[in-house]
Amino acid sequence: MRIDIISIFPDFFEPLKLSLIGKAQEKNLVEINIHDLRDFTHDKHKTVDDAPYGGGPGMVMSPTPWGDAIDSILNTTEQATLIIPTPSGEAFIQKTANQLTTEEHLIFACGRYEGIDARVAQHYINSEKIKEVKEISLGNYVLNGGEVASIAIIEAVTRLIPGVLGNEESAIDDSFAPGEMEDRTEGPIFTRPPVWRDLEVPEILLSGDHKKIADWRKSQQSSATPKSS
Ligand code: SAM
C-alpha cells in the first residue's frame, strides 16, 4: 500500500517510523511519503490560509496549495483514495478500516485552523485520478488538526495488511474483527503472576479446559457500543 500525507506539520508523523508501522515500511509492505503543504505555496511567507468568506473567526485553508500538492502526488500514480479528516465526515469505525486496507493508494489531507476550503473535496470527487473522496470523522469532538486523526486511521488500516502484525499480535480475535466479533469488544485479559496485589486471575483461566475457557471469554465480551459517562 502507498500512503501520501499532506500537512503543514510534517514532523507530526515521526512516530510512523516506530514499531509495527516502521517495520512494515522496512519490509516494503507500506510506503509512506510525507509532504509539506507549504512547499506548494507561491509567496515568500508560504501562506496556506485566508479569512473566511462571509466573515467569522478563524482562518480557512486556501484551496490553491492543496490543489497543487494533491495534483503533484496524482501525477505519479494511477488512482488514489483521498481522505480528508473532518468532524463533519462519516464516523471512522473498524468497517471503514477493513475497506481502506484493500486500497492501493491513500492520500491524507490534514486540515488545520477552521479546515480546508470545501471546493477541494468537491473538485476531487470529479477527478478521474481519484477513486473516492472520503471525509472521515474520528468522533464527535474537535481536534486541532487532521494529523492525529490521520495517524489513528493509518494505524488501524495498516495493521490489517497481511504480514504487518506478527502471530502474537494477530488481528483475528480482536474487538470488531469480521465475523463473530464484528459488533463486540474483547473481555478482560490476564498474564502472570496468578495473584497480584491480592487480586487473583479468574480460576477458569488456570483450568486448562479450553472449551470452558472459550465459553468464559465469550461471556466476558461486550457489545460494541462505546461507553460514555
Ligand atoms: N471548524 C471545524 C469545525 O467546527 O468542524 C473544526 C476545525 S479543526 C480545529 C481543524 C482540523 O482538525 C479539521 O479541518 C480536521 O482536519 C481536523 N479535525 C478536528 N476534529 C476532527 C475529528 N473529530 N475528526 C477528524 N478530523 C478532525
Side-chain angles (χ1 to χ4, degrees), residues 85-87 110-116 136-139 141-146 149:
T86 164
C110 303
R112 281 268 153 180
Y113 317 122
E114 294 303 318
I116 303 172
I136 295 182
S137 167
L138 217 58
Y141 45 81
V142 176
L143 302 165
N144 290 337

Side-chain angles (χ1 to χ4, degrees), residues 44-72:
K44 74 171 184 200
H45 299 295
K46 298 184 178 290
T47 310
V48 293
D49 58 337
D50 210 332
Y53 273 121
M59 299 294 272
V60 176
M61 294 193 105
S62 158
T64 313
W66 277 108
D68 291 351
I70 295 167
D71 285 351
S72 79

Side-chain angles (χ1 to χ4, degrees), residues 20-168:
L20 294 167
I21 301 187
K23 287 197 191 116
Q25 289 172 86
E26 282 166 22
K27 289 195 255 174
N28 291 324
L29 296 170
V30 185
E31 174 194 331
I32 300 181
N33 309 297
I34 319 286
H35 309 267
D36 187 342
L37 182 69
R38 294 197 193 276
D39 290 343
F40 298 89
T41 54
H42 303 285
D43 65 312
K44 74 171 184 200
H45 299 295
K46 298 184 178 290
T47 310
V48 293
D49 58 337
D50 210 332
Y53 273 121
M59 299 294 272
V60 176
M61 294 193 105
S62 158
T64 313
W66 277 108
D68 291 351
I70 295 167
D71 285 351
S72 79
I73 296 166
L74 294 177
N75 282 340
T76 67
T77 186
E78 283 299 302
Q79 258 205 335
T81 296
L82 176 62
I83 298 176
I84 305 180
T86 164
S88 59
E90 66 172 81
F92 184 63
I93 58 172
Q94 187 65 40
K95 276 187 192 145
T96 328
N98 297 345
Q99 186 232 315
L100 290 175
T101 200
T102 63
E103 299 297 337
E104 278 180 21
H105 187 187
L106 304 177
I107 301 175
F108 287 83
C110 303
R112 281 268 153 180
Y113 317 122
E114 294 303 318
I116 303 172
D117 187 305
R119 289 170 293 180
V120 173
Q122 276 171 19
H123 171 76
Y124 286 104
I125 284 171
N126 298 315
S127 161
E128 278 180 8
K129 287 267 189 171
I130 291 285
K131 198 171 163 192
E132 190 183 0
V133 175
K134 267 180 117 53
E135 295 189 89
I136 295 182
S137 167
L138 217 58
N140 289 352
Y141 45 81
V142 176
L143 302 165
N144 290 337
E147 289 77 10
V148 167
S150 295
I151 291 176
I153 296 167
I154 289 167
E155 199 162 291
V157 168
T158 54
R159 74 193 296 282
L160 300 175
I161 295 172
V164 170
L165 296 186
N167 259 348
E168 60 284 15

Side-chain angles (χ1 to χ4, degrees), residues 149-207:
S150 295
I151 291 176
I153 296 167
I154 289 167
E155 199 162 291
V157 168
T158 54
R159 74 193 296 282
L160 300 175
I161 295 172
V164 170
L165 296 186
N167 259 348
E168 60 284 15
E169 295 110 352
S170 163
I172 298 167
D173 296 334
D174 275 339
S175 304
F176 317 115
E180 278 187 19
M181 289 301 284
E182 195 158 298
D183 295 312
R184 305 189 72 72
T185 52
E186 202 178 64
I189 51 170
F190 303 88
T191 186
R192 275 187 279 268
V195 181
W196 177 76
R197 298 191 182 185
D198 292 337
L199 295 168
E200 291 179 14
V201 168
E203 217 177 307
I204 193 151
L205 295 178
L206 310 176
S207 69

